[in-house]
Amino acid sequence: MTGELDGDCRIVVLSGAGMSAESGIRTFRDNGGLWEEYDVMTVATPEAWKQNPALVTRFYNQRRTQLKEVEPNPGHRALAELEAHFQVHVITQNVDDLHERAGSTQVMHLHGRLTQMRSEKYPYPVYDVGYTEMELDACGADGGRLRPNIVWFGEEVPLIADASHWVMQADVLIVVGTSLNVYPAAGLLYHARHGCEKYLVDPGEHQTQGVFRLKHLKQKAGDALPNLVRDLIQRKGN
Ligand code: OAD
């Protein structure tokens, strides 16, 4: 695509697990993805938490401690660089903190964050626990057991209206590393306004790409995003 972009140009990124794949975090639905090894119903639902909180705690402890060992990849860093030139909002389905560690400052975590816990009774307050392993009997101020601050299957996505507001404002939408299998996140694409320039960065095939008129950059995030970002910045002119 061509055409000049100005500094008021609003860029929205919708990222998924593939964004962090090159950092060494497994995706969910690819070959070798997490949902091949684990039954999602036994680790990522409120019912799983009721039935076997020890298993759920162990599952998220593993993910949290792994997060300490990984680093943002060139894709995360390229997106962070965009902020010096445009208004950029990142909506991520990822529970890792790699966008922030790369330098992005406007990041919305639709599905929660690994580094946070909350009481099983109420969603607030949220407790920052960093990369530590949690004990099963840790409790919040209200006496409720602390659970990961993750939006599990079957739960509402509290930030979806805010995310939709961001997408509606977008002049450029970059969808990266998501199979678009999970709603309501996938439905956000319907909220992009007519004329919004839309990209899909994903090395895999995508059924939905035609429906949403996405320009498919069929490459890994770490390869495609630095080039895409460079092109967008060049189009800003001086
Ligand atoms: P998926 O695992 O469903 O999809 C990952 C996508 O990333 C696939 O389309 C891959 O082709 C693509 N991909 C793989 N490597 C890539 C790379 N290096 N660069 C770019 N793309 C790459 O993950 P999500 O769509 O994020 O929710 O899954 C959505 C939600 O389902 C997750 O947030 C999680 C999961 O269950 C919860 O746990 C609540």
Side-chain angles (χ1 to χ4, degrees), residues 38-209:
Y38 296 91
D39 175 358
V40 58
M41 301 311 287
T42 63
V43 291
T45 62
E47 292 74 25
W49 177 249
K50 278 198 199 99
Q51 276 159 23
N52 196 344
L55 176 66
V56 176
T57 300
R58 204 159 57 236
F59 176 77
Y60 285 102
N61 274 345
Q62 279 172 3
R63 316 263 84 70
R64 196 178 305 108
T65 49
Q66 181 205 17
L67 190 50
K68 194 170 50 177
E69 312 299 330
V70 300
E71 295 292 337
N73 64 57
H76 293 107
R77 285 195 284 271
L79 291 176
E81 209 183 305
L82 271 180
E83 282 193 21
H85 307 272
F86 302 106
Q87 298 182 45
V88 185
H89 287 101
V90 178
I91 302 166
T92 187
Q93 297 166 84
N94 297 344
V95 295
D96 66 54
D97 57 358
L98 295 180
H99 281 299
E100 288 90 342
R101 277 158 56 187
S104 287
T105 61
Q106 303 292 318
V107 185
M108 180 189 290
H109 285 268
L110 268 191
H111 293 164
R113 301 187 60 155
L114 269 177
T115 54
Q116 294 176 341
M117 303 288 281
R118 50 160 275 211
S119 160
E120 61 186 2
K121 289 188 182 169
Y122 299 106
Y124 298 103
V126 159
Y127 302 88
D128 277 311
V129 296
Y131 307 110
T132 51
E133 287 201 28
M134 295 304 295
E135 301 291 338
L136 190 52
D137 53 8
C139 285
D142 61 12
R145 192 152 52 180
L146 287 185
R147 53 161 273 185
N149 188 30
I150 304 285
V151 178
W152 284 324
F153 284 92
E155 295 187 313
E156 279 188 23
V157 178
L159 291 173
I160 197 69
D162 294 342
S164 157
H165 179 73
W166 281 6
V167 171
M168 282 191 275
Q169 315 273 320
D171 299 303
V172 177
L173 178 64
I174 303 172
V175 179
V176 47
T178 172
S179 61
L180 295 174
N181 265 301
V182 173
Y183 283 77
L188 284 171
L189 272 73
Y190 289 108
H191 298 232
R193 65 175 179 76
H194 183 72
C196 173
E197 197 173 302
K198 289 174 276 191
Y199 297 90
L200 171 69
V201 176
D202 195 313
E205 294 299 335
H206 250 261
Q207 313 283 347
T208 37
Q209 154 213 353

